[in-house]
């Protein structure tokens, strides 16, 4: 019973953290009226995968660990970097959908 209670509490807290992270930057972000995709490419094989599809700019910025204003400015230039999802094996970025 205690394990179930801990799991439910963890799920509720995680949901609140995601909602809070996505909602807070939305106030400062300009309304682009569009959605973005976050993609990654394997450095060795060149295979490309979609990490997030059809998500709001604030949510994608939170997912990528970038300030929403910086992220929006990068998107306006063509594509935004996604450093939180980039590592030695994959490069990640976001583009307008």
């Amino acid at each position: 019973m205690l394990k179930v209670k801990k799991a439910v509490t963890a799920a509720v807290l995680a949901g609140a953290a995601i909602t809070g992270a996505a909602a807070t930057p939305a106030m400062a972000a300009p309304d682009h009226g569009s959605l973005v995709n976050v993609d990654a490419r394997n450095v060795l094989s060149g295979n490309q995968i979609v990490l997030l599809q059809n998500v709001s700019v604030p949510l994608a910025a939170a997912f990528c660990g970038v300030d929403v204003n910086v992220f929006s400015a990068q998107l306006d230039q063509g594509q935004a970097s996604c450093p939180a999802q980039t590592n030695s094996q994959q490069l990640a970025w976001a583009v307008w959908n």
Side-chain angles (χ1 to χ4, degrees), residues 58-84:
L59 182 62
F63 178 76
C64 291
V66 179
D67 178 84
V68 71
N69 294 320
V70 172
F71 196 75
S72 294
Q74 288 178 350
L75 281 169
D76 288 340
Q77 298 293 321
Q79 86 179 22
S81 63
C82 189

Side-chain angles (χ1 to χ4, degrees), residues 2-96:
L2 185 57
K3 287 183 182 182
V4 172
K5 188 181 272 189
K6 283 184 179 182
V8 170
T9 302
V12 169
L13 291 176
I18 290 171
T19 303
T24 303
M27 290 181 228
D31 182 22
H32 290 287
S34 187
L35 301 174
V36 297
N37 294 335
V38 180
D39 301 305
R41 179 177 296 129
N42 185 292
V43 174
L44 298 177
S45 70
N47 292 338
Q48 183 173 328
I49 60 168
V50 176
L51 300 175
L52 294 176
Q53 188 171 19
N54 298 325
V55 297
S56 67
V57 171
L59 182 62
F63 178 76
C64 291
V66 179
D67 178 84
V68 71
N69 294 320
V70 172
F71 196 75
S72 294
Q74 288 178 350
L75 281 169
D76 288 340
Q77 298 293 321
Q79 86 179 22
S81 63
C82 189
Q85 304 303 319
T86 296
N87 57 41
S88 62
Q89 296 178 347
Q90 74 178 20
L91 301 173
W93 67 94
V95 292
W96 291 114

